[in-house]
């Protein structure tokens, strides 16, 4: 009887210690889940914003191409069948998701100087009131707006990789062109950009609901292993 009484404080201590450890583990797991959910939400929000702007740009690029053709004269369809060197490849390449996002971002940046050149050429060919000039300006600005959420999505998805940065001075523009060459160049740039946006939209839809959830599961697994 006395021995049993003497062992009671020690048993209570063990029970209290076990309860404390269990509660600590549960709190740690809950905290990890909370962090994972918040980061997953940030990842998903950045993806949604990127996809939303891409879809809007995709629609506007179709309208822009049609406006461009209408402003170039009777043989505008012929202009769009030409071949122009040094325009970004509209296809997204890379084995890993990080590589494909990086490729899309770099190509997006590479289109900006081409838009500036097309606008400059069309300013000489079109009247100031031309709807083409305002449409070119709108799509150019919107395209730059796409760069920020795309970069944010990449950083949320791959926080341990270097942030996306454009390659300064990496875009080559064509030499001086005659009027016919300018019209071909402008149409091919816009047609290629429209195809590029379609590919980016397809890539983002493929990632939607997959990469952010996979990242959350990996974070939870790593947290449990560290415990």
């Amino acid at each position: 009887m006395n021995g049993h009484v003497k062992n009671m404080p020690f048993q209570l201590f063990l029970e209290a210690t076990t309860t404390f450890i269990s509660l600590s583990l549960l709190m740690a797991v809950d905290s990890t889940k909370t962090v994972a959910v918040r980061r997953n939400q940030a990842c998903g929000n950045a993806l949604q914003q990127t996809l939303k702007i891409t879809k809007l740009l995709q629609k506007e690029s179709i309208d822009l191409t049609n406006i461009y053709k209408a402003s170039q004269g009777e043989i505008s369809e012929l202009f769009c069948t030409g071949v122009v060197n040094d325009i970004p490849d509209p296809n997204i390449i890379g084995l890993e998701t990080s590589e494909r996002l990086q490729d899309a971002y770099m190509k997006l940046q590479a289109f900006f100087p081409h838009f500036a050149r097309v606008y400059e050429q069309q300013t000489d060919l079109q009247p100031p009131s031309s709807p083409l000039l305002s449409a070119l300006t709108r799509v150019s600005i919107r395209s730059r707006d796409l760069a920020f959420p795309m970069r944010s999505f990449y950083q949320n998805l791959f926080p341990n990789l270097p942030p996306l940065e454009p390659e300064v001075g990496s875009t080559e523009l064509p030499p001086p062109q005659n009027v016919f060459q300018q019209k071909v160049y402008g149409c091919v740039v816009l047609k290629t950009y429209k195809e590029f946006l379609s590919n980016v939209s397809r890539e983002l839809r493929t990632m939607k609901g997959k990469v952010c959830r996979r990242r959350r599961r990996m974070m939870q697994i790593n947290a449990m292993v560290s415990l």
Side-chain angles (χ1 to χ4, degrees):
M1 182 69 177
N2 292 338
H4 177 73
V5 173
K6 290 180 180 179
N7 288 334
M8 285 296 291
F10 182 69
Q11 290 177 356
L12 292 174
F13 171 77
L14 287 178
E15 291 175 0
T17 302
T18 302
T19 301
F20 174 77
I21 294 174
S22 299
L23 289 173
S24 298
L25 290 173
L26 287 173
M27 292 175 63
V29 171
D30 288 342
S31 176
T32 300
K33 288 182 178 179
T34 300
V35 172
V37 168
R38 287 177 180 174
R39 292 184 178 179
N40 184 60
Q41 288 175 344
C43 176
N45 290 340
L47 173 56
Q48 288 282 21
Q49 186 180 10
T50 306
L51 184 56
K52 180 179 179 181
I53 297 178
T54 302
K55 287 181 177 179
L56 179 60
L57 258 175
Q58 192 176 358
K59 178 182 180 303
E60 290 183 343
S61 69
I62 295 173
D63 296 338
L64 174 58
T65 303
N66 292 332
I67 293 172
Y68 184 92
K69 291 178 181 180
S71 67
Q72 303 305 312
E74 296 180 355
I75 60 171
S76 58
E77 290 294 339
L78 176 63
F79 299 143
C80 295
T81 61
V83 177
V84 178
N85 296 324
D86 301 322
I87 293 178
D89 183 351
N91 297 308
I92 311 301
I93 61 174
L95 297 177
E96 302 294 334
T97 301
S98 59
E99 295 172 346
R100 299 181 74 81
L101 279 174
Q102 185 177 32
D103 184 65
Y105 180 81
M106 293 301 179
K107 286 175 178 174
L108 173 66
Q109 297 283 337
F111 271 105
F112 296 162
H114 289 288
F115 272 117
R117 174 62 66 87
V118 172
Y119 183 87
E120 176 186 338
Q121 292 175 343
Q122 291 300 314
T123 299
D124 295 333
L125 298 175
Q126 305 294 328
S129 59
S130 170
L132 174 60
L133 298 180
S134 58
L136 276 169
T137 300
R138 182 171 58 253
V139 171
S140 180
I141 293 173
R142 190 95 67 189
S143 298
R144 294 181 182 277
D145 290 341
L146 175 60
F148 177 76
M150 187 179 289
R151 187 167 60 245
S152 177
F153 173 52
Y154 180 89
Q155 291 173 348
N156 273 289
L157 197 58
F158 305 106
N160 297 324
L161 293 180
L164 295 177
E165 296 294 344
E167 297 180 4
V168 180
S170 61
T171 302
E172 294 186 15
L173 294 174
Q177 301 167 310
N178 59 39
V179 172
F180 180 82
Q181 290 172 327
Q182 289 178 13
K183 291 187 175 186
V184 171
Y185 169 69
C187 199
V188 174
V189 167
L190 299 184
K191 182 183 70 172
T192 305
Y193 186 62
K194 180 179 65 174
E195 184 179 351
F196 166 74
L197 289 173
S198 177
N199 291 334
V200 172
S201 181
R202 187 182 303 111
E203 286 288 330
L204 294 174
R205 289 197 303 270
T206 300
M207 295 175 189
K208 187 178 180 181
K210 293 182 180 180
V211 291
C212 293
R213 291 177 183 175
R214 187 184 307 123
R215 178 174 179 266
R216 180 180 63 181
R217 287 197 297 269
M218 290 302 299
M219 290 173 60
Q220 291 174 339
I221 292 172
N222 291 335
M224 292 300 295
V225 171
S226 64
L227 291 174

